[in-house]
Amino acid sequence: VYHKKEKGLSKFQDEDFEDHQPFPTLQKALEVVPHTCGFNVEVKWTMQMRDGTYELQHPFELNHFLDLIIKMILEHSDKRKIVFSCFHPDICTMLRLKQNRYPVMFLTQGVSEVWPPYEDQRTNSVQQAILYAVNADILGINVHTEDLMRDPSQITAAMEHNLIVFCWGDHNNDQENIKFLKKVGLHGIIYDN
């Protein structure tokens, strides 16, 4: 889109710069980023909210959608370390059953005052996420830090079930919180900086 006063302009001067190109594809990222850098491939899929609405309408057939992602990773990952993650527990189960090369982490917000709750009970507490992860035979859980800061004993509960525990959220952009989370023994901390 060009401004009206740019009469006759057919393209911006710097349109061809690499930084101004569309987001890279998964294949491009797998090919360009050094294979020594591991990937957390978070699969996005709509979830039903507790109020009955959906985050968005999913435009793809789920099996086909996951098969395309798995195929791309198997063909282009080389020796890269990869972990799949998703908020949708059924997708975590499907990823676990459709391939056996890469581990799966269940993303959960748990009890949150920041995010509206999902309808699926497996997402509403760390304890439910632990039970689901153990029963689905997946690597672990990736919990919203807000819930872990409120009750760090949940980390121990997950580890007692031999689960790997990561955390995510805006709280992780604070250095003091990161120090605390490392001290209590998390396996991974996802943050922006």
Side-chain angles (χ1 to χ4, degrees):
V1 177
Y2 302 99
H3 197 276
K4 284 183 176 182
K5 58 185 173 182
E6 296 175 292
K7 296 176 184 163
L9 185 64
S10 63
K11 75 183 229 178
F12 290 115
Q13 299 286 24
D14 58 0
E15 200 168 272
D16 294 327
F17 291 153
E18 182 69 27
D19 287 348
H20 295 174
Q21 298 309 303
F23 288 112
T25 63
L26 178 57
Q27 179 178 340
K28 180 82 170 173
L30 289 165
E31 292 171 350
V32 173
V33 175
H35 75 276
T36 54
C37 177
F39 278 18
N40 173 7
V41 178
E42 182 181 340
V43 177
K44 300 287 192 179
W45 195 260
T46 186
M47 293 274 295
Q48 184 178 15
M49 308 307 289
R50 188 171 289 159
D51 67 6
T53 62
Y54 284 84
E55 292 175 306
L56 57 95
Q57 296 302 318
H58 40 82
F60 304 106
E61 195 279 322
L62 184 53
N63 276 297
H64 180 66
F65 177 68
L66 292 178
D67 289 347
L68 289 173
I69 295 169
I70 293 167
K71 181 177 188 275
M72 184 62 55
I73 287 176
L74 291 173
E75 289 177 356
H76 299 281
S77 63
D78 194 29
K79 297 176 184 172
R80 184 183 312 278
K81 292 182 180 179
I82 293 176
V83 63
F84 284 111
S85 62
C86 186
F87 281 99
H88 198 299
D90 294 338
I91 288 183
C92 289
T93 301
M94 291 174 74
L95 286 166
R96 170 68 180 88
L97 296 173
K98 283 181 167 283
Q99 56 82 44
N100 62 4
R101 185 169 175 184
Y102 301 109
V104 179
M105 299 281 291
F106 176 46
L107 279 157
T108 181
Q109 63 192 36
V111 177
S112 175
E113 294 180 17
V114 177
W115 299 99
Y118 292 123
E119 176 64 23
D120 193 313
Q121 294 302 308
R122 296 170 289 183
T123 68
N124 292 333
S125 72
V126 173
Q127 185 59 37
Q128 288 297 320
I130 291 169
L131 293 173
Y132 162 71
V134 168
N135 286 313
D137 193 28
I138 61 177
L139 180 67
I141 58 175
N142 191 343
V143 181
H144 189 244
T145 305
E146 171 192 13
D147 205 2
L148 296 180
M149 297 294 284
R150 182 176 30 258
D151 181 5
S153 70
Q154 297 175 107
I155 298 166
T156 306
M159 290 180 181
E160 286 173 351
H161 286 86
N162 297 316
L163 296 173
I164 298 296
V165 183
F166 286 9
C167 66
W168 63 276
D170 290 339
H171 290 82
N172 295 356
N173 294 325
D174 180 291
Q175 286 297 321
E176 291 305 311
N177 288 344
I178 289 175
K179 286 179 189 174
F180 171 77
L181 294 165
K182 285 180 178 179
K183 183 180 174 185
V184 294
L186 258 69
H187 298 99
I189 301 169
I190 299 172
Y191 61 99
D192 296 331
N193 299 325

